[in-house]
Amino acid sequence: MVEGRLVLEPEVQEIFKSIDSGRNFLLSGGAGSGKTYSLVSVIRQVIAEHPTEKVACMTYTNAAVKEIEERVNHKNLNVSTIHDFLWDNIKHFQKELKEAIISLANNEEVSKISIEEVHPIPDTYFDLLPEGIQYKEFVRLREGIISHDELLIVANYLFEKYHKLSSIVKDKYKFIFIDEYQDTSKAVVDIFLTHFNKSERKNIIGFFGDAMQSIYEDGIGNLDDYKGNDADSVNEIPKKQNRRNPQLVIALANKLRTDGITQEPSTDPKAPNMVEGIVKQGTVLFLHSTNGDISKVEKFLKENYGWDFNNSKETKELNLTHNLIAGKAGFRTLMDIYDKDHILSYRDRIRKYIKDNNIITDFTGNTFGEVIQTLQQGKSGRELNAVSPTITMKAFIDDNVELYNYAKSLSYSDFSKMYVDKDQLLDDKKQDEGDENKKGSKRDNLIKHLFKIQTNISLYKNKRYNEFLRATDYRFRIISIASKRALKENIESLVDVGEKIIEDVINDANEKGICLIDDKLIDFKDKKKYLYNRVKDVKFSEFQKLYEYLEGQTPFSTQHKTKGAEFNNVLVILDNGGWNNYNFGNLFLETGSASVLNRTQKIFYVCCTRAKENLAVFFHNPDLQVIAKAKAWFGDGNVIDIDR
């Protein structure tokens, strides 16, 4: 046996048996099994045994990239996100990139890549691009700019068509490892397990992950179609140990798994879930009440189990959606502006009607109201309904007549182009204050500007003066002791915002030199007048609540966002928030759509396995069948009616 392998954990030794035989492999491990530890061990041993060969490691997030880079620092190791890896390997083939995008855009079956009003796209369409095809955080195909979704499709097309590209990558990297494979697009897996096989060059592809944690719709979920015992199939190696969760959480998690893996506590006395060589028992609670007020649940856990909801690093409350959190966390108005504006929904309805009916009228000089009037003129019955607000839209409009009249006065050309999405408000949430912001946040320029203001306020309030001086735009004015005094007065006048609205704080921060209004904000106000005018009148104190939530200073998190994290105390709220893709009631009853049941079971598994010490689940007003199932999963004594 090669030197050093005997000290490796058994699953990693099995991986090297696959490597020695030239087989691709899959390490399947449940939550808390130490998959990342195994991945790092494999990388280190591969580098030790093949010091001249390059190794690529791809993972799902920039945070994971950083973690692996910190654990393994070697010149021959390239750690990146999957998107960055693919782009780095195709970006120099500009001729082929242009051909691929044109071909895909002209293919009616590929809906995600298209250039409106240009069909078919001529072969010379991208010839004059000064910088060629580019990859950015946003898509603008007319200018040859692709984003995340388009990149995967284009890359798959190129690797399928040009076998030499696979050979080039295989020559460059003898070992390619993919972490959290279950969240990877099928298009990506096809590149490495189908298109790569068309090249005679040899290399090893290794996957690490857990099919039970495939909670994203665009992920492949599992590698069942590629697994097998023959030489050309992927060799699956299970990892059953659990190093994170206490015994009772492991027992519950095993009841939720559907892939045949039964987790067991680690035998390592140094594992986080061990105390003096004995696995922690922990607590698992199923709480229910006829009252849906979560504050009652929090009070119960505080008084009876000592939970501290003020400590966001130790305790988390997991909700399915941001909408379920917004009211509790104090940013309801902002959430509704970005996610529940039915005037914008009506605008989209009008825009879709024009497109679907091939209406070629030039509305450039018309207002939104004039476009509505034109489309409705002479229509009745179903035809009129098609260009009128739905019942939901009408109710919203009736409650916001002044806002609707304002929208109708706006240029249709500008108003129809205005893109609004909740990601522009909520993207880049941290789990706690120690997290780092990711690259390429989707926040819009208004929210980014407000973040700059509040960051200045927070740094000063927390006496982080050196960081504050680096962050404030006033730093360019500091030339004397008098200017420092002026800065102190200016920031202190801004700290207590009281009842001030967002626009007043923006202007105050600009006038005092704390955070200057820049071209990006000016451009936002010009191009997104409607959105700006809605946000500007919201109290700045509400934005501060949003800031606290996104900076990880609250106990709240969405269930999807918490994947990969762990906390001492985890409270899971079983409320689907009206989202039809999930149904927690059906999960306990094992009824309903198989796809919804599968999706719900996986997110519930992920949530439960975040707990390092104590898990509590809250179900509002369950029926007797749900309670019976809860007793089977949690144990009779752990199902508690908190109304009693």
Side-chain angles (χ1 to χ4, degrees), residues 489-545:
E489 290 174 5
N490 287 354
I491 185 63
E492 287 184 349
S493 70
L494 200 62
V495 166
D496 185 13
V497 297
E499 297 294 302
K500 289 182 179 177
I501 61 172
I502 282 173
E503 186 170 59
D504 288 344
V505 174
I506 289 174
N507 291 333
D508 284 352
N510 181 66
E511 290 168 10
K512 293 178 171 64
I514 302 298
C515 184
L516 300 176
I517 295 173
D518 59 12
D519 289 344
K520 290 180 179 178
L521 183 60
I522 292 170
D523 186 62
F524 183 96
K525 291 168 69 174
D526 180 54
K527 293 181 178 177
K528 294 192 172 184
K529 291 178 183 177
Y530 177 86
L531 180 58
Y532 178 81
N533 283 331
R534 289 211 67 189
V535 174
K536 72 178 179 66
D537 291 327
V538 178
K539 289 180 181 178
F540 191 81
S541 58
E542 177 166 328
F543 173 78
Q544 290 178 316
K545 293 293 185 183

Side-chain angles (χ1 to χ4, degrees), residues 255 286 288 588-590 619 622-636 639:
K255 293 171 183 174
F286 181 93
H288 61 98
F588 282 78
L589 300 175
E590 299 183 42
F619 199 120
D623 61 30
L624 293 176
Q625 289 176 291
V626 170
I627 292 174
K629 187 66 174 184
K631 288 179 177 179
W633 280 354
F634 289 78
D636 283 15
V639 177

Side-chain angles (χ1 to χ4, degrees), residues 323 332-351 368 372 387-401 403-405 407-408 415 418 420-421 530-531 534:
N323 264 307
R332 180 79 270 162
T333 307
L334 286 169
M335 188 70 201
D336 287 348
I337 289 172
Y338 275 82
D339 195 47
K340 292 185 176 181
D341 189 323
H342 293 293
I343 293 173
L344 294 180
S345 302
Y346 181 38
R347 176 208 62 178
D348 296 341
R349 181 176 172 88
I350 291 295
R351 189 169 58 188
F368 178 47
I372 294 170
V387 288
S388 298
T390 64
I391 294 172
T392 303
M393 296 171 188
K394 181 75 166 53
F396 182 88
I397 289 169
D398 289 343
D399 289 338
N400 297 273
V401 175
L403 180 64
Y404 181 55
N405 288 333
K408 289 197 296 182
F415 190 52
M418 186 186 70
V420 181
D421 185 83
Y530 177 86
L531 180 58
R534 289 211 67 189

Side-chain angles (χ1 to χ4, degrees), residues 423-437:
D423 280 350
Q424 297 170 317
L425 180 78
L426 299 165
D427 192 44
D428 203 11
K429 182 190 180 314
K430 298 178 180 179
Q431 282 296 357
D432 59 58
E433 295 180 76
D435 280 1
E436 290 193 3
N437 295 100

Side-chain angles (χ1 to χ4, degrees), residues 91-143:
K91 64 184 180 182
H92 299 297
F93 300 95
Q94 283 291 320
K95 179 183 176 182
E96 290 79 6
L97 272 168
K98 292 172 183 176
E99 182 272 325
I101 294 172
I102 291 169
S103 179
L104 289 164
N106 285 332
N107 186 344
E108 293 182 356
E109 294 181 4
V110 184
S111 59
K112 288 187 176 181
I113 296 182
S114 65
I115 301 175
E116 291 186 9
E117 301 172 7
V118 183
H119 193 81
I121 300 168
D123 294 342
T124 58
Y125 188 82
F126 294 122
D127 284 0
L128 299 178
L129 288 178
E131 298 181 42
I133 303 299
Q134 300 175 71
Y135 167 55
K136 294 186 178 183
E137 290 295 323
F138 58 90
V139 60
R140 200 173 288 161
L141 278 174
R142 288 178 177 274
E143 299 171 22

Side-chain angles (χ1 to χ4, degrees), residues 148-247:
H148 304 310
D149 291 346
E150 296 79 25
L151 172 63
L152 301 183
I153 297 169
V154 171
N156 184 282
Y157 176 95
L158 290 173
F159 277 96
E160 182 178 21
K161 185 172 182 178
Y162 301 104
H163 301 169
K164 191 175 180 179
L165 184 57
S166 294
S167 296
I168 292 170
V169 177
K170 291 167 85 172
D171 281 343
K172 188 175 181 181
Y173 297 105
K174 294 301 180 185
F175 301 91
I176 296 176
F177 303 132
I178 301 170
D179 194 19
E180 301 290 350
Y181 82 88
Q182 71 277 355
D183 297 327
T184 303
S185 166
K186 187 178 185 304
V188 174
V189 174
D190 276 343
I191 290 172
F192 294 117
L193 293 182
T194 302
H195 306 330
F196 264 36
N197 287 339
K198 298 170 185 175
S199 163
E200 294 181 357
R201 304 288 203 280
K202 300 295 182 183
N203 78 340
I204 296 292
I205 312 293
F207 298 88
F208 298 75
D210 181 11
M212 276 301 296
Q213 297 187 67
S214 58
I215 59 175
Y216 300 109
E217 289 296 300
D218 53 354
I220 192 168
N222 61 65
L223 296 183
D224 291 352
D225 292 341
Y226 304 92
K227 293 187 303 189
N229 296 318
D230 59 279
D232 294 328
S233 299
V234 176
N235 178 31
E236 183 177 23
I237 300 160
K239 190 176 189 185
K240 297 181 179 181
Q241 65 178 288
N242 185 309
R243 299 172 56 84
R244 174 195 299 151
N245 303 128
Q247 181 66 67

